[in-house]
Amino acid sequence: MAAQGIRKLTAADAPLMEDILSLFGEAFGERETYDGARPSRAYLERLLAREHFIAIAACEGGRVIGGIAAYALDKFERERSEIYIYDLAVAATHRRRGVATAMIAALQRIAAARGADVIFVQADYEDPPAIALYTKLGVREEVLHFDIGVRRH
């Protein structure tokens, strides 16, 4: 994937972020999650302007073919930060062509420029392509993930 097709989004790129949301919904089979209560354009502009949120788009022919949504996390135990890849997807028609690897390389450059120590990501056991990609790029750790509901009074 050519480097010029990969870019970090800014507040001016909210329309591309909307395209990434649609891509995530399609790629994950969760259209309702990503399209059901779509954030407003103003919300996406504010989010993209924040230092802690990182969005990367892979585009080809004017279309979004891949995206990453990540968060920079300032640590408390030491003066350091980590980058968490929250979501990553590539359009089905463009998989196995290096798009995900190119987007992660762009995120690595951003992380290095910010002085981050590591990038981490979770993968579902039912997603062998993601596991293969992340195994190629990093060190695998076996962890348990728990979703804890919020109590509203």
Side-chain angles (χ1 to χ4, degrees):
M1 167 113 258
Q4 69 268 20
I6 308 289
R7 64 190 255 208
K8 179 187 177 297
L9 302 187
T10 68
D13 296 315
L16 289 177
M17 191 66 214
E18 291 173 346
D19 291 344
I20 288 173
L21 285 168
S22 295
L23 172 68
F24 287 164
E26 183 176 325
F28 304 144
E30 296 183 18
R31 289 180 193 259
E32 179 59 28
T33 299
Y34 292 91
D35 288 325
R38 175 76 52 100
S40 68
R41 175 81 45 99
Y43 177 91
L44 291 175
E45 289 169 353
R46 287 191 306 273
L47 181 63
L48 289 165
R50 292 188 175 137
E51 188 69 18
H52 76 279
F53 183 72
I54 304 163
I56 294 174
C59 299
E60 183 179 275
R63 291 185 34 245
V64 169
I65 60 165
I68 289 179
Y71 293 90
L73 305 171
D74 291 327
K75 303 297 287 184
F76 64 90
E77 73 278 10
R78 294 186 183 201
E79 290 186 27
R80 65 188 190 114
S81 65
E82 299 175 348
I83 306 290
Y84 173 57
I85 298 176
Y86 187 81
D87 275 333
L88 183 157
V90 175
T93 56
H94 289 78
R95 292 182 187 148
R96 315 262 329 136
R97 296 185 186 176
V99 176
T101 302
M103 290 190 302
I104 291 171
L107 185 59
Q108 288 173 307
R109 289 188 294 276
I110 292 166
R114 292 182 177 201
D117 291 294
V118 71
I119 297 170
F120 68 102
V121 63
Q122 295 173 224
D124 293 327
Y125 287 106
E126 300 82 27
D127 193 351
I131 293 169
L133 171 68
Y134 302 139
T135 299
K136 176 178 77 172
L137 298 173
V139 176
R140 181 175 174 160
E141 295 183 27
E142 296 292 330
V143 298
L144 298 174
H145 171 102
F146 299 91
D147 289 334
I148 299 173
V150 176
R151 294 183 185 173
R152 294 187 177 18
H153 300 287

